[in-house]
C-alpha cells in the first residue's frame, strides 16, 4: 500500500543514511523519494547495505536542485514541510498534515538549507528531551513518516 507521502533528502552525506531512508520509505509505504543536491543515489555502492533491497520497491528520482522539487510538488497541490530544529518549528505530534504531504530532511550536520526552508509551507520538529538537540536523520525519518501515517483518515 502506498500513502500520499513524499520524502525529499537534501544534501545527505551518508550513503548509509540514504539506504536507511529507502528501507523506511518502503516499510512505511511512502509514495516517492526524491534525492537532491549531493545526496548519494543508486547505483552508489554503499546504499544497498542498509536499503536491503528496498531500492527496487520505491519510486525514486534524483533532482539536482531541491527548489525544483518543491516547485513541482507545490504545483501538484502537495503540502511541503521542512523537518528541522528551528525556534519557529511546530511539534510534529500537534501538526495537522494535509495530504499529499512532502517532508524535507537535510544534511546530518547543517540541516535543511535556509533557502529551502523559506520555500516550505511550514517547519516541524521532533522535540528533544535529553542533552542532544537532534536525532540521526534516518531515525527522524522513521518517526515522522509513521506519525503522519497515523493521522490519515
Amino acid at each position: 500500500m502506498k500513502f500520499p507521502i513524499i520524502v525529499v533528502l537534501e544534501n545527505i552525506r551518508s550513503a548509509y543514511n540514504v539506504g536507511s531512508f529507502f528501507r523506511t520509505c518502503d516499510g512505511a509505504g511512502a509514495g516517492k523519494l526524491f534525492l537532491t543536491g549531493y545526496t548519494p543515489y543508486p547505483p552508489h555502492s554503499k546504499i544497498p547495505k542498509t536499503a536491503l533491497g528496498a531500492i527496487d520497491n520505491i519510486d525514486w528520482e534524483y533532482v539536482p536542485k531541491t527548489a525544483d522539487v518543491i516547485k513541482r510538488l507545490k504545483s501538484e497541490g502537495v503540502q511541503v514541510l521542512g523537518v528541522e530544529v528551528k525556534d519557529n518549528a511546530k511539534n510534529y505530534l500537534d501538526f495537522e498534515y494535509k495530504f499529499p504531504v512532502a517532508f524535507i530532511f537535510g544534511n546530518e550536520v547543517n540541516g535543511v538549507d535556509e533557502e529551502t526552508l523559506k520555500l516550505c509551507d511550514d517547519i516541524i520538529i521532533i522535540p528533544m528531551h535529553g542533552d542532544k538537540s537532534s536525532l540521526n536523520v534516518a531515525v527522524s525519518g522513521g518517526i515522522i513518516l509513521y506519525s503522519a501515517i497515523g493521522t490519515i483518515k
Side-chain angles (χ1 to χ4, degrees):
M1 168 181 260
K2 297 291 182 191
F3 291 105
I5 295 174
I6 299 154
V7 172
V8 181
L9 302 183
E10 178 184 67
N11 295 326
I12 301 296
R13 296 175 308 158
S14 167
Y16 298 124
N17 279 334
V18 174
S20 291
F21 264 101
F22 268 98
R23 192 167 172 197
T24 299
C25 286
D26 178 41
K32 180 127 185 179
L33 173 62
F34 285 97
L35 309 168
T36 69
Y38 56 75
T39 301
Y41 56 91
H44 191 287
S45 64
K46 292 181 180 177
I47 293 174
K49 180 175 175 76
T50 49
L52 295 177
I55 294 167
D56 299 328
N57 302 336
I58 294 296
D59 181 17
W60 68 273
E61 184 178 340
Y62 173 73
V63 179
K65 295 182 180 180
T66 310
D68 292 342
V69 173
I70 294 172
K71 289 174 190 168
R72 183 163 126 197
L73 292 173
K74 284 187 169 190
S75 76
E76 296 169 1
V78 176
Q79 179 186 46
V80 178
L81 303 175
V83 181
E84 188 55 78
V85 178
K86 289 289 188 190
D87 289 340
N88 63 332
K90 298 173 181 161
N91 187 322
Y92 80 103
L93 291 170
D94 301 327
F95 195 83
E96 288 190 40
Y97 303 107
K98 296 178 183 90
F99 297 94
V101 64
F103 298 104
I104 301 178
F105 297 90
N107 178 274
E108 293 91 336
V109 174
N110 301 317
V112 178
D113 185 78
E114 287 295 329
E115 293 304 310
T116 299
L117 289 173
K118 290 176 186 175
L119 298 174
C120 292
D121 295 313
D122 223 323
I123 302 169
I124 59 173
I125 188 171
I126 300 170
M128 300 297 293
H129 305 289
D131 292 332
K132 297 298 176 186
S133 63
S134 66
L135 296 167
N136 170 275
V137 67
V139 171
S140 295
I143 291 168
I144 295 296
L145 291 183
Y146 278 92
S147 176
I149 289 167
T151 69
I152 296 175
K153 296 175 173 59

